[in-house]
Amino acid sequence: MSQNTPAQPAVTTKPRVSARIAAIAESATLAVDAKAKALKAAGRPVIGFGAGEPDFPTPDYIVEAAVAAARVPANHRYTPAAGLPALREAIAVKTLRDSGYEVSPGQVLVTNGGKQAVYQAFATVVDPGDEVLLPAPYWTTYPEAIRLAGGVPVEVFAGDDQGYLVTVDQLEAARTERTKALLFCSPSNPTGAVYSPEQTAAIGRWAYEHGIWVLTDEIYEHLTYDDAVFTPIVRAVPELADMTIVLNGVAKTYAMTGWRVGWMIGPSDVIKAATNLQSHLTSNVANVSQRAAIAAVSGDLSAVETMRTAFDRRRRTMVAMLSQIDGVRIPVPRGAFYAYPSVAGVLGRTIRGVTPTTSAELATLILEQVEVAVVPGEAFGPSGFLRLSYALGDDDLVEGVTRIQRLLAEAE
């Protein structure tokens, strides 16, 4: 062989993508949203109920804080990985105001959105083989984050017959000697269910008695309706504080999904460990976004109340319209901005020559036939359900649900 002849690459049977990453499922909610937006960009009259994203702009006073921050050279540089001291302090003050208990700024870690907080929380307290109790239906990212940490998600399902709320008895039945943590989400994505103060306290006491960590996702804390109230589990069971990680962010409350600011609150040793992880993973959150978040969490909640009022109106409209469909059952959501109807009574019936037997097949049929994007229950646990976000304009909401009504009325 000539010395100038390039060597042939070695033949290998090793996979190109690691097994750990290859096993991750795509975010179903983002996938549905992306497909809807692509069809819309192509000129199709698609209405998307997929993404949990407020249709409101970020309030002006928050945007102005960001504009001013962008002109300050100090914000053009690296800052502490755990977050700007001013923002950590503001989050601590906000926690006392909204949740009714004190935390120190040192117990706060600012993250790149709520998803990073979720990932880092599991990565920090879960070892390979540890089991994490996961009430279902659940947000699609939770099980993937648990698996990335080496943990084993253990689904505990509560159907529409119990308002999607798991009981202490169900959790106890699922507990084993390998149980390390419980994921608790109220108000809930995807169901809109809200645990009562009594239910929250009972679950918190059970976790404390058995030495189980609680990772509580409180990002929808300000979005409750009717007589529902948000109950911070640490306020309900103060002694649980040393075994609890609170996950939160500005995305849903302040219509700031694109700004990517979330946070973790927890025991100092856990926050220090998670900060070490973040120092290698992403370093600090963008400083302009952090300055905007300071304005958000430090301001009053009047803009939030305006959005909540609109969500409430849309919620009542959506529930009323979905309830009119034969074969659909829907517990009234009392938090967040999602409806989660059971469509079990529709499955197995023929619609325009197609007989869907799963909610995934039904969601595909709805998109193809009437150009409405919904997320199937398979993304959140068992089949037989659909998730529809009502964080979109009133007219689009009515038009979208009307299309679904007309299509499903043809079921034979």
Side-chain angles (χ1 to χ4, degrees), residues 60-89:
D60 287 343
Y61 71 94
I62 299 173
V63 175
E64 291 305 316
V67 171
R71 297 192 177 100
V72 177
N75 291 322
H76 306 168
R77 309 296 182 217
Y78 290 128
T79 54
L84 293 173
L87 178 53
R88 299 174 81 192
E89 172 68 31

mmCIF file of all heavy atoms in Angstrom, residues 60-89:
data_model
loop_
_atom_site.group_PDB
_atom_site.id
_atom_site.type_symbol
_atom_site.label_atom_id
_atom_site.label_comp_id
_atom_site.label_asym_id
_atom_site.label_seq_id
_atom_site.Cartn_x
_atom_site.Cartn_y
_atom_site.Cartn_z
ATOM 1 N N ASP A 60 -45.018 44.218 30.468
ATOM 2 C CA ASP A 60 -44.079 45.249 30.023
ATOM 3 C C ASP A 60 -43.004 45.568 31.050
ATOM 4 O O ASP A 60 -41.839 45.782 30.695
ATOM 5 C CB ASP A 60 -44.839 46.536 29.676
ATOM 6 C CG ASP A 60 -45.626 46.420 28.377
ATOM 7 O OD1 ASP A 60 -45.327 45.496 27.592
ATOM 8 O OD2 ASP A 60 -46.531 47.254 28.149
ATOM 9 N N TYR A 61 -43.359 45.621 32.331
ATOM 10 C CA TYR A 61 -42.373 46.023 33.329
ATOM 11 C C TYR A 61 -41.241 45.009 33.443
ATOM 12 O O TYR A 61 -40.100 45.368 33.776
ATOM 13 C CB TYR A 61 -43.040 46.258 34.687
ATOM 14 C CG TYR A 61 -43.534 45.017 35.412
ATOM 15 C CD1 TYR A 61 -42.748 44.364 36.349
ATOM 16 C CD2 TYR A 61 -44.803 44.495 35.149
ATOM 17 C CE1 TYR A 61 -43.195 43.237 37.018
ATOM 18 C CE2 TYR A 61 -45.269 43.371 35.805
ATOM 19 C CZ TYR A 61 -44.461 42.738 36.737
ATOM 20 O OH TYR A 61 -44.913 41.616 37.390
ATOM 21 N N ILE A 62 -41.539 43.762 33.119
ATOM 22 C CA ILE A 62 -40.502 42.728 33.123
ATOM 23 C C ILE A 62 -39.594 42.891 31.905
ATOM 24 O O ILE A 62 -38.364 42.807 32.004
ATOM 25 C CB ILE A 62 -41.141 41.332 33.160
ATOM 26 C CG1 ILE A 62 -41.971 41.153 34.435
ATOM 27 C CG2 ILE A 62 -40.079 40.245 33.044
ATOM 28 C CD1 ILE A 62 -42.768 39.868 34.482
ATOM 29 N N VAL A 63 -40.200 43.151 30.762
ATOM 30 C CA VAL A 63 -39.419 43.355 29.541
ATOM 31 C C VAL A 63 -38.515 44.572 29.685
ATOM 32 O O VAL A 63 -37.337 44.546 29.290
ATOM 33 C CB VAL A 63 -40.363 43.517 28.333
ATOM 34 C CG1 VAL A 63 -39.565 43.855 27.068
ATOM 35 C CG2 VAL A 63 -41.185 42.252 28.117
ATOM 36 N N GLU A 64 -39.040 45.649 30.275
ATOM 37 C CA GLU A 64 -38.236 46.860 30.441
ATOM 38 C C GLU A 64 -37.044 46.613 31.355
ATOM 39 O O GLU A 64 -35.959 47.161 31.147
ATOM 40 C CB GLU A 64 -39.099 48.004 30.972
ATOM 41 C CG GLU A 64 -40.122 48.521 29.970
ATOM 42 C CD GLU A 64 -39.492 48.931 28.652
ATOM 43 O OE1 GLU A 64 -38.432 49.600 28.671
ATOM 44 O OE2 GLU A 64 -40.039 48.574 27.588
ATOM 45 N N ALA A 65 -37.231 45.792 32.371
ATOM 46 C CA ALA A 65 -36.112 45.456 33.250
ATOM 47 C C ALA A 65 -35.018 44.724 32.471
ATOM 48 O O ALA A 65 -33.818 44.931 32.703
ATOM 49 C CB ALA A 65 -36.598 44.600 34.417
ATOM 50 N N ALA A 66 -35.422 43.871 31.543
ATOM 51 C CA ALA A 66 -34.456 43.144 30.725
ATOM 52 C C ALA A 66 -33.727 44.077 29.764
ATOM 53 O O ALA A 66 -32.507 43.959 29.562
ATOM 54 C CB ALA A 66 -35.161 42.031 29.957
ATOM 55 N N VAL A 67 -34.457 45.000 29.161
ATOM 56 C CA VAL A 67 -33.840 45.955 28.238
ATOM 57 C C VAL A 67 -32.782 46.778 28.956
ATOM 58 O O VAL A 67 -31.663 46.974 28.457
ATOM 59 C CB VAL A 67 -34.914 46.862 27.610
ATOM 60 C CG1 VAL A 67 -34.262 47.997 26.815
ATOM 61 C CG2 VAL A 67 -35.839 46.054 26.709
ATOM 62 N N ALA A 68 -33.127 47.255 30.145
ATOM 63 C CA ALA A 68 -32.159 48.031 30.919
ATOM 64 C C ALA A 68 -30.954 47.181 31.290
ATOM 65 O O ALA A 68 -29.802 47.648 31.232
ATOM 66 C CB ALA A 68 -32.833 48.586 32.171
ATOM 67 N N ALA A 69 -31.185 45.929 31.663
ATOM 68 C CA ALA A 69 -30.094 45.041 32.065
ATOM 69 C C ALA A 69 -29.140 44.767 30.911
ATOM 70 O O ALA A 69 -27.929 44.609 31.112
ATOM 71 C CB ALA A 69 -30.664 43.738 32.605
ATOM 72 N N ALA A 70 -29.671 44.701 29.702
ATOM 73 C CA ALA A 70 -28.838 44.399 28.541
ATOM 74 C C ALA A 70 -27.797 45.483 28.291
ATOM 75 O O ALA A 70 -26.769 45.229 27.648
ATOM 76 C CB ALA A 70 -29.708 44.205 27.304
ATOM 77 N N ARG A 71 -28.041 46.673 28.804
ATOM 78 C CA ARG A 71 -27.118 47.789 28.588
ATOM 79 C C ARG A 71 -26.043 47.881 29.683
ATOM 80 O O ARG A 71 -25.179 48.747 29.620
ATOM 81 C CB ARG A 71 -27.906 49.102 28.518
ATOM 82 C CG ARG A 71 -28.892 49.171 27.352
ATOM 83 C CD ARG A 71 -29.411 50.581 27.152
ATOM 84 N NE ARG A 71 -30.289 50.668 25.991
ATOM 85 C CZ ARG A 71 -31.622 50.665 26.051
ATOM 86 N NH1 ARG A 71 -32.211 50.584 27.240
ATOM 87 N NH2 ARG A 71 -32.356 50.747 24.960
ATOM 88 N N VAL A 72 -26.120 47.033 30.674
ATOM 89 C CA VAL A 72 -25.171 47.073 31.780
ATOM 90 C C VAL A 72 -24.039 46.079 31.517
ATOM 91 O O VAL A 72 -24.283 44.867 31.449
ATOM 92 C CB VAL A 72 -25.879 46.744 33.115
ATOM 93 C CG1 VAL A 72 -24.867 46.723 34.262
ATOM 94 C CG2 VAL A 72 -26.986 47.751 33.399
ATOM 95 N N PRO A 73 -22.805 46.552 31.360
ATOM 96 C CA PRO A 73 -21.697 45.644 31.012
ATOM 97 C C PRO A 73 -21.513 44.487 31.975
ATOM 98 O O PRO A 73 -21.092 43.392 31.560
ATOM 99 C CB PRO A 73 -20.479 46.582 31.017
ATOM 100 C CG PRO A 73 -21.038 47.918 30.660
ATOM 101 C CD PRO A 73 -22.380 47.966 31.341
ATOM 102 N N ALA A 74 -21.839 44.674 33.245
ATOM 103 C CA ALA A 74 -21.673 43.575 34.205
ATOM 104 C C ALA A 74 -22.512 42.371 33.820
ATOM 105 O O ALA A 74 -22.154 41.220 34.133
ATOM 106 C CB ALA A 74 -22.053 44.043 35.609
ATOM 107 N N ASN A 75 -23.607 42.591 33.125
ATOM 108 C CA ASN A 75 -24.477 41.489 32.711
ATOM 109 C C ASN A 75 -23.965 40.776 31.459
ATOM 110 O O ASN A 75 -24.568 39.800 31.011
ATOM 111 C CB ASN A 75 -25.895 41.997 32.462
ATOM 112 C CG ASN A 75 -26.583 42.413 33.741
ATOM 113 O OD1 ASN A 75 -26.412 41.777 34.781
ATOM 114 N ND2 ASN A 75 -27.359 43.485 33.679
ATOM 115 N N HIS A 76 -22.869 41.284 30.917
ATOM 116 C CA HIS A 76 -22.266 40.645 29.744
ATOM 117 C C HIS A 76 -21.225 39.600 30.149
ATOM 118 O O HIS A 76 -20.612 38.981 29.287
ATOM 119 C CB HIS A 76 -21.586 41.689 28.851
ATOM 120 C CG HIS A 76 -22.482 42.820 28.451
ATOM 121 N ND1 HIS A 76 -22.014 43.974 27.856
ATOM 122 C CD2 HIS A 76 -23.830 42.977 28.564
ATOM 123 C CE1 HIS A 76 -23.023 44.802 27.618
ATOM 124 N NE2 HIS A 76 -24.131 44.220 28.044
ATOM 125 N N ARG A 77 -21.039 39.409 31.445
ATOM 126 C CA ARG A 77 -19.983 38.547 31.951
ATOM 127 C C ARG A 77 -20.556 37.343 32.687
ATOM 128 O O ARG A 77 -21.738 37.279 33.000
ATOM 129 C CB ARG A 77 -19.084 39.337 32.919
ATOM 130 C CG ARG A 77 -18.576 40.659 32.380
ATOM 131 C CD ARG A 77 -17.667 40.469 31.190
ATOM 132 N NE ARG A 77 -17.150 41.755 30.724
ATOM 133 C CZ ARG A 77 -16.953 42.060 29.445
ATOM 134 N NH1 ARG A 77 -17.250 41.166 28.510
ATOM 135 N NH2 ARG A 77 -16.469 43.227 29.092
ATOM 136 N N TYR A 78 -19.660 36.397 33.002
ATOM 137 C CA TYR A 78 -20.052 35.274 33.856
ATOM 138 C C TYR A 78 -20.488 35.798 35.219
ATOM 139 O O TYR A 78 -19.944 36.774 35.742
ATOM 140 C CB TYR A 78 -18.878 34.310 34.072
ATOM 141 C CG TYR A 78 -18.471 33.511 32.868
ATOM 142 C CD1 TYR A 78 -17.145 33.503 32.454
ATOM 143 C CD2 TYR A 78 -19.386 32.731 32.174
ATOM 144 C CE1 TYR A 78 -16.733 32.757 31.366
ATOM 145 C CE2 TYR A 78 -18.991 31.974 31.082
ATOM 146 C CZ TYR A 78 -17.664 31.991 30.681
ATOM 147 O OH TYR A 78 -17.268 31.248 29.608
ATOM 148 N N THR A 79 -21.455 35.123 35.799
ATOM 149 C CA THR A 79 -21.882 35.410 37.172
ATOM 150 C C THR A 79 -21.968 34.082 37.914
ATOM 151 O O THR A 79 -21.804 33.017 37.314
ATOM 152 C CB THR A 79 -23.241 36.146 37.186
ATOM 153 O OG1 THR A 79 -24.202 35.388 36.440
ATOM 154 C CG2 THR A 79 -23.114 37.543 36.586
ATOM 155 N N PRO A 80 -22.201 34.078 39.230
ATOM 156 C CA PRO A 80 -22.183 32.817 39.983
ATOM 157 C C PRO A 80 -23.124 31.763 39.410
ATOM 158 O O PRO A 80 -24.257 32.065 38.995
ATOM 159 C CB PRO A 80 -22.625 33.256 41.381
ATOM 160 C CG PRO A 80 -22.198 34.682 41.481
ATOM 161 C CD PRO A 80 -22.405 35.247 40.101
ATOM 162 N N ALA A 81 -22.655 30.533 39.387
ATOM 163 C CA ALA A 81 -23.447 29.436 38.810
ATOM 164 C C ALA A 81 -24.789 29.264 39.511
ATOM 165 O O ALA A 81 -25.774 28.877 38.883
ATOM 166 C CB ALA A 81 -22.651 28.135 38.874
ATOM 167 N N ALA A 82 -24.835 29.553 40.799
ATOM 168 C CA ALA A 82 -26.081 29.353 41.564
ATOM 169 C C ALA A 82 -27.115 30.422 41.292
ATOM 170 O O ALA A 82 -28.278 30.271 41.694
ATOM 171 C CB ALA A 82 -25.775 29.302 43.051
ATOM 172 N N GLY A 83 -26.728 31.494 40.604
ATOM 173 C CA GLY A 83 -27.667 32.561 40.321
ATOM 174 C C GLY A 83 -27.213 33.881 40.892
ATOM 175 O O GLY A 83 -26.395 33.939 41.823
ATOM 176 N N LEU A 84 -27.731 34.970 40.343
ATOM 177 C CA LEU A 84 -27.417 36.289 40.880
ATOM 178 C C LEU A 84 -27.868 36.366 42.337
ATOM 179 O O LEU A 84 -29.001 35.978 42.651
ATOM 180 C CB LEU A 84 -28.127 37.371 40.070
ATOM 181 C CG LEU A 84 -27.677 37.572 38.618
ATOM 182 C CD1 LEU A 84 -28.599 38.545 37.916
ATOM 183 C CD2 LEU A 84 -26.234 38.052 38.568
ATOM 184 N N PRO A 85 -27.017 36.859 43.227
ATOM 185 C CA PRO A 85 -27.434 36.968 44.631
ATOM 186 C C PRO A 85 -28.747 37.719 44.801
ATOM 187 O O PRO A 85 -29.572 37.342 45.641
ATOM 188 C CB PRO A 85 -26.260 37.711 45.278
ATOM 189 C CG PRO A 85 -25.070 37.323 44.447
ATOM 190 C CD PRO A 85 -25.597 37.241 43.041
ATOM 191 N N ALA A 86 -28.967 38.753 43.993
ATOM 192 C CA ALA A 86 -30.212 39.519 44.101
ATOM 193 C C ALA A 86 -31.427 38.682 43.737
ATOM 194 O O ALA A 86 -32.505 38.836 44.327
ATOM 195 C CB ALA A 86 -30.139 40.766 43.221
ATOM 196 N N LEU A 87 -31.269 37.787 42.757
ATOM 197 C CA LEU A 87 -32.401 36.944 42.377
ATOM 198 C C LEU A 87 -32.643 35.863 43.422
ATOM 199 O O LEU A 87 -33.793 35.560 43.766
ATOM 200 C CB LEU A 87 -32.161 36.304 41.003
ATOM 201 C CG LEU A 87 -33.265 35.354 40.508
ATOM 202 C CD1 LEU A 87 -34.642 36.014 40.540
ATOM 203 C CD2 LEU A 87 -32.956 34.852 39.100
ATOM 204 N N ARG A 88 -31.587 35.274 43.956
ATOM 205 C CA ARG A 88 -31.765 34.257 45.003
ATOM 206 C C ARG A 88 -32.459 34.869 46.225
ATOM 207 O O ARG A 88 -33.333 34.251 46.836
ATOM 208 C CB ARG A 88 -30.421 33.654 45.377
ATOM 209 C CG ARG A 88 -29.729 32.948 44.218
ATOM 210 C CD ARG A 88 -28.332 32.496 44.582
ATOM 211 N NE ARG A 88 -28.343 31.247 45.336
ATOM 212 C CZ ARG A 88 -27.275 30.764 45.956
ATOM 213 N NH1 ARG A 88 -26.135 31.445 45.965
ATOM 214 N NH2 ARG A 88 -27.353 29.620 46.600
ATOM 215 N N GLU A 89 -32.087 36.092 46.551
ATOM 216 C CA GLU A 89 -32.741 36.792 47.663
ATOM 217 C C GLU A 89 -34.207 37.070 47.327
ATOM 218 O O GLU A 89 -35.104 36.868 48.165
ATOM 219 C CB GLU A 89 -32.011 38.103 47.949
ATOM 220 C CG GLU A 89 -32.706 39.012 48.957
ATOM 221 C CD GLU A 89 -32.727 38.452 50.366
ATOM 222 O OE1 GLU A 89 -31.781 37.730 50.742
ATOM 223 O OE2 GLU A 89 -33.714 38.725 51.100
#
